Amino acid sequence: MLTESRLLDLLLHHSIVYAAFQSRCCTLHCKTQYSTIYNPDEKVIKTCQKMGIKSVAVHSDVDASAVHVKMADEAVCVGPAPTSKSYLNMDAIMDAIRSTGAQAVHPGYGFLSENKEFAKRLAAEGVTFIGPDTHAIMAMGDKIESKLIAKAAKVNTIPGFDGVVETADDAVKIAQQIGYPVMIKASAGGGGKGMRIAWNDEETREGFRFSSQEAASSFGDDRLLIEKYIDNPRHIEIQVLADKHGNALWLNERECSIQRRNQKVVEEAPSTFLDSVTRRAMGEQAVQLAKAVQYSSAGTVEFLVDSKKNFYFLEMNTRLQVEHPITECITGLDLVEQMIRVAKGYKLLHKQEDIPINGWAIESRVYAEDPYKSFGLPSIGRLSQYQEPLNLSNVRVDSGIQEGSDISIYYDPMISKLVTYGATRAEALSKMEDALDNYVIRGVTHNIPLLREIITHPRFISGDISTNFLPEVYPDGFKGHQLEVGNRRELLASAAALYITAQLRSQKVLECTHWELCAELGEGLYSMEVTKSGNVYIVEVDGGKVEVSGQWNLASTLLPLTINGTDRMLQCLSRDASGQIVLQYLGTSFKVRVLSKLAAELNSYMPEKVAEDTSSILRSPMPGSVVAVSVKPGDTVAEGQEICVIEAMKMQNSLTAAKQAKVKKVHCKPGETVGEGDLLVELE
């Protein structure tokens, strides 16, 4: 029985778990495909502990102190940091399975979780794979074959070319036949890797190049396919669960339309868009596809849905999805537990009519990313402070990190999955807003500003979303929260009150109750008059009066305030002797410099720093490795011409010239590791 099992939990990318049916469990942590700092094995290990199953974790040498390693009963190091030498090293992983006596493996969210060769090797060793059999993995893992199977199973599919695209010239011909726009994507892909949208012949050639390179790097398979791009669709997926006895269920949908670079950012269940008729039709087609490949385990069938509720098969993920917690919230099912039961040979415990939609759940993917750069380019560093908002009710955080954890260029920048639940969508959104405000992350740049802006945007609240939401709402890129007059007054008043609190703490005589201050915020300079009574400050600023009260604990990571009768949660990220205060307010970090009236007058005489001419230099926008350098000193480049390619987290980014000029000096070469802001190329 499962309570007498031995589980080897191998975590891959977002982890892969190896389970053995005895009384111990071994967890191998394998990262990839954006490999991640976030470890889903934590969730799997918790479920195993609940079921009385022990675990063993595998890890790279740099992950020896990772949370999943500490949670597991045993741990095995499978190699150095690079995924090809550790988490994708099948020989090392198989050795770990043998040495621990593991009898089963649970695939998490990453590479080997859908790798047919890995599944075959497990089968050859007599190790149970907690997931579908190799036939289903092979059939659904190949996007070309899966589309043909879907057609045969009477599942709606997207028009396109059903073969493999061999060359860039072939890609252009096929794209012209299908009609622009087209989607170029890796046959063995997933997670947004190896995917490009092309609107013309030139973009098709470029897309073919980058997609094939990313596919080879991420999946070891550079085959590509091309299909019609459904413009402005919704991305809605159906969770399926099937056993080895021919039973299959659909566990409702997840709305995954908020994306950047074809990768999900915010998900929710259920969808605001589907009616019961469309939901059932999508669910029944998903089950038809699962039965067509004799699927057994949890899996996800992804669809694109147009404005008229026509839906088209996109792909099937033969593994547990990152966003599965929101399905667990509205159905009450533990999907990991169900997968383990199915792998053991048990029948499903439920029938279709037993599957409810209870309440609403929302998931925000918290990344160590700079949201001001292409909606999120990776950030690295050490988490100097880390505090999850678990003090709030109906909040779930699936993470695999802790204070002091390092986020490096080797692995995916996902920090956690932040999930909130409510009886209604409005309640779940309100909980998410509070959770994001209470989430403390220091030491790395993170995407909480973007997440908070998304979930409070009127279009998102009304359910008017599509996969183009971000570029439509932020056509010039994400700029953070845009302060209106009322918000600006609140921010300035809070900064003034915090400044005075710090000044009073350092004084021996606390007689003053009135101050005249100036504050710099952006390009603005604001005069303020402040009076204090107890813990309450009255601030006159920007033509209005603001009352701010709180406990004013300068040592706390969180700053709960009441501003004009409204409760706000701020965070003081930093402050210094020059009066510079950085506050996280409404999710966004703002720099406010508070000065006395005299100091502000004297400051006007200080020389301004001359800004760097960024048109003549090219700096790396993110940490990563140099894949290619396309120029040399003396070359003349045109505006927009590619200069070099940087790879970060398995994603390749083409960096281009800002103007037509001659190359003066090249400071990088292929294979080198660069940091954010490093100088790459100088132009004359």
Side-chain angles (χ1 to χ4, degrees):
M1 304 297 288
L2 284 177
T3 53
E4 299 176 352
S5 326
R6 174 189 185 84
L7 179 70
L8 169 59
D9 177 14
L10 167 63
L11 294 192
L12 187 63
H13 163 143
H14 295 155
S15 60
I16 179 172
V17 178
Y18 293 99
F21 296 104
Q22 281 182 13
S23 83
R24 291 167 58 196
C25 155
C26 180
T27 302
L28 292 174
H29 168 61
C30 201
K31 307 178 173 184
T32 73
Q33 171 182 347
Y34 232 26
S35 20
T36 180
I37 193 72
Y38 159 70
N39 301 327
D41 42 326
E42 180 184 349
K43 160 69 163 77
V44 178
I45 292 174
K46 285 180 178 178
T47 297
C48 290
Q49 290 171 342
K50 181 178 71 174
M51 299 176 72
I53 303 172
K54 294 185 177 180
S55 62
V56 178
V58 300
H59 60 87
S60 66
D61 53 9
V62 297
D63 284 337
S65 299
V67 172
H68 78 283
V69 174
K70 295 177 180 179
M71 288 182 64
D73 297 279
E74 299 178 48
V76 179
C77 181
V78 290
T83 56
S84 61
K85 298 179 180 179
S86 53
Y87 297 123
L88 292 180
N89 186 341
M90 290 192 201
D91 290 337
I93 291 169
M94 294 304 298
D95 285 343
I97 293 171
R98 296 187 195 99
S99 67
T100 57
Q103 294 177 331
V105 175
H106 181 293
Y109 314 146
F111 276 152
L112 296 186
S113 63
E114 295 182 282
N115 187 295
K116 59 189 177 186
E117 295 304 321
F118 180 61
K120 284 182 179 179
R121 291 186 65 170
L122 290 175
E125 296 268 346
V127 177
T128 299
F129 188 66
I130 302 181
D133 62 22
T134 55
H135 166 71
I137 295 174
M138 291 172 63
M140 293 295 100
D142 187 310
K143 286 183 171 56
I144 297 172
E145 183 179 352
S146 66
K147 188 173 180 181
L148 295 174
I149 293 173
K151 281 184 177 180
K154 301 188 184 307
V155 176
N156 304 342
T157 58
I158 301 171
F161 179 67
D162 293 332
V164 177
V165 184
E166 301 289 350
T167 67
D169 288 338
D170 290 340
V172 170
K173 291 178 183 177
I174 293 167
Q176 291 173 343
Q177 292 169 1
I178 296 172
Y180 288 110
V182 297
M183 173 69 83
I184 304 167
K185 58 185 181 181
S187 175
K193 309 295 186 303
M195 295 178 68
R196 290 290 191 282
I197 299 167
W199 295 81
N200 53 50
D201 293 354
E202 182 181 349
E203 290 184 1
T204 298
R205 292 184 184 280
E206 185 179 82
F208 180 88
R209 172 190 165 201
F210 282 117
S211 291
S212 59
Q213 289 174 355
E214 287 180 6
S217 173
S218 296
F219 314 111
D221 183 345
D222 63 0
R223 292 177 305 142
L224 302 177
L225 61 87
I226 298 180
E227 59 190 18
K228 181 69 176 177
Y229 174 64
I230 307 299
D231 195 14
N232 213 38
R234 286 175 179 259
H235 184 139
I236 300 177
E237 60 191 28
I238 300 292
Q239 177 71 58
V240 296
L241 181 65
D243 62 23
K244 300 178 186 296
H245 304 277
N247 303 304
L249 306 172
W250 48 274
L251 308 182
N252 302 310
E253 79 279 4
R254 294 186 289 257
E255 172 76 70
C256 306
S257 297
I258 306 299
Q259 304 180 2
R260 50 94 176 98
R261 298 191 299 278
N262 298 307
Q263 293 174 320
K264 301 160 189 171
V265 179
V266 176
E267 302 103 342
E268 61 181 309
S271 168
T272 60
F273 189 62
L274 296 190
D275 53 53
S276 59
V277 174
T278 309
R279 176 179 295 115
R280 175 170 292 278
M282 292 176 70
E284 289 176 348
Q285 286 199 19
V287 166
Q288 286 169 208
L289 181 60
K291 289 185 174 182
V293 293
Q294 298 178 324
Y295 196 87
S296 61
S297 193
T300 299
V301 181
E302 301 191 352
F303 294 95
L304 292 181
V305 185
D306 68 19
S307 59
K308 296 181 180 179
K309 298 184 181 177
N310 298 309
F311 56 91
Y312 306 93
F313 169 70
L314 184 62
E315 65 181 4
M316 182 176 189
N317 291 304
T318 58
R319 55 174 168 81
L320 194 64
Q321 290 283 83
V322 172
E323 59 273 18
H324 77 274
I326 55 178
T327 295
E328 294 184 331
C329 286
I330 67 167
T331 63
L333 297 177
D334 183 330
L335 293 183
V336 174
E337 180 178 355
Q338 297 303 314
M339 293 175 76
I340 294 173
R341 283 181 48 82
V342 168
K344 184 62 178 174
Y346 293 122
K347 291 184 178 181
L348 296 181
L349 293 170
H350 307 87
K351 297 188 180 300
Q352 190 62 57
E353 56 269 23
D354 300 329
I355 306 303
I357 297 181
N358 289 329
W360 214 284
I362 298 172
E363 174 179 290
S364 293
R365 298 193 185 195
V366 181
Y367 283 102
E369 289 184 338
D370 185 345
Y372 301 98
K373 296 178 179 178
S374 300
F375 300 112
L377 291 183
S379 170
I380 61 172
R382 174 166 293 179
L383 289 167
S384 57
Q385 287 183 293
Y386 183 73
Q387 181 178 315
E388 297 173 348
L390 295 175
N391 58 306
L392 304 176
S393 62
N394 290 341
V395 172
R396 167 176 168 176
V397 183
D398 283 13
S399 70
I401 51 107
Q402 58 191 347
E403 195 164 283
S405 291
D406 286 312
I407 297 180
S408 72
I409 64 171
Y410 293 110
Y411 307 127
D412 187 290
M414 185 184 285
I415 293 174
S416 72
K417 301 181 300 183
L418 176 62
V419 180
T420 57
Y421 173 80
T424 64
R425 186 171 186 263
E427 183 181 336
L429 282 173
S430 177
K431 286 284 184 184
M432 181 60 72
E433 193 174 335
D434 290 342
L436 290 169
D437 286 342
N438 281 268
Y439 207 146
V440 177
I441 303 172
R442 311 282 170 81
V444 297
T445 305
H446 54 76
N447 69 331
I448 283 179
L450 175 62
L451 295 172
R452 197 184 189 283
E453 286 300 296
I454 290 171
I455 62 120
T456 57
H457 194 280
R459 271 191 58 180
F460 184 85
I461 292 173
S462 68
D464 178 18
I465 61 176
S466 73
T467 55
N468 293 325
F469 178 87
L470 290 179
E472 287 177 357
V473 172
Y474 309 106
D476 300 320
F478 179 67
K479 307 296 184 184
H481 183 76
Q482 301 302 297
L483 292 171
E484 298 177 351
V485 175
N487 291 152
R488 184 170 65 238
R489 288 174 183 158
E490 286 190 6
L491 175 62
L492 290 169
S494 300
L498 188 63
Y499 171 82
I500 293 171
T501 299
Q503 294 294 309
L504 291 175
R505 190 178 70 166
S506 63
Q507 295 178 7
K508 294 181 180 179
V509 181
L510 309 180
E511 295 179 350
C512 185
T513 58
H514 180 269
W515 298 264
E516 291 185 352
L517 304 174
C518 287
E520 297 174 356
L521 174 62
E523 301 296 321
L525 183 63
Y526 303 87
S527 297
M528 298 185 289
E529 289 196 17
V530 185
T531 56
K532 180 178 185 292
S533 176
N535 286 328
V536 180
Y537 290 88
I538 305 296
V539 184
E540 293 185 35
V541 58
D542 201 15
K545 185 178 290 187
V546 182
E547 180 180 297
V548 186
S549 62
Q551 294 303 311
W552 305 109
N553 182 353
L554 299 179
S556 175
T557 54
L558 297 172
L559 190 62
L561 300 178
T562 300
I563 307 177
N564 284 343
T566 300
D567 291 334
R568 300 280 195 199
M569 181 62 73
L570 282 69
Q571 297 185 32
C572 180
L573 304 183
S574 67
R575 56 187 176 84
D576 59 31
S578 71
Q580 180 95 333
I581 299 174
V582 181
L583 288 175
Q584 182 174 305
Y585 170 72
L586 302 179
T588 295
S589 298
F590 294 95
K591 293 181 180 179
V592 184
R593 191 179 185 195
V594 182
L595 300 169
S596 67
K597 195 172 183 179
L598 175 61
E601 292 174 358
L602 296 174
N603 188 63
S604 64
Y605 296 102
M606 296 294 289
E608 293 186 8
K609 182 179 179 180
V610 179
E612 184 179 51
D613 180 11
T614 56
S615 67
S616 297
I617 59 173
L618 181 67
R619 295 187 181 277
S620 178
M622 76 209 84
S625 59
V626 180
V627 175
V629 178
S630 307
V631 298
K632 61 183 183 299
D635 288 352
T636 298
V637 295
E639 181 180 350
Q641 181 179 331
E642 180 179 288
I643 291 181
C644 62
V645 177
I646 303 294
E647 182 177 281
M649 289 30 171
K650 302 296 183 184
M651 296 290 286
Q652 295 193 358
N653 303 272
S654 175
L655 306 184
T656 60
K659 65 179 182 180
Q660 180 174 334
K662 183 177 287 187
V663 177
K664 180 179 179 181
K665 195 170 184 180
V666 177
H667 295 271
C668 62
K669 57 185 179 182
E672 285 187 342
T673 298
V674 296
E676 181 180 355
D678 284 1
L679 182 61
L680 303 176
V681 174
E682 291 182 71
L683 303 177
E684 292 184 354

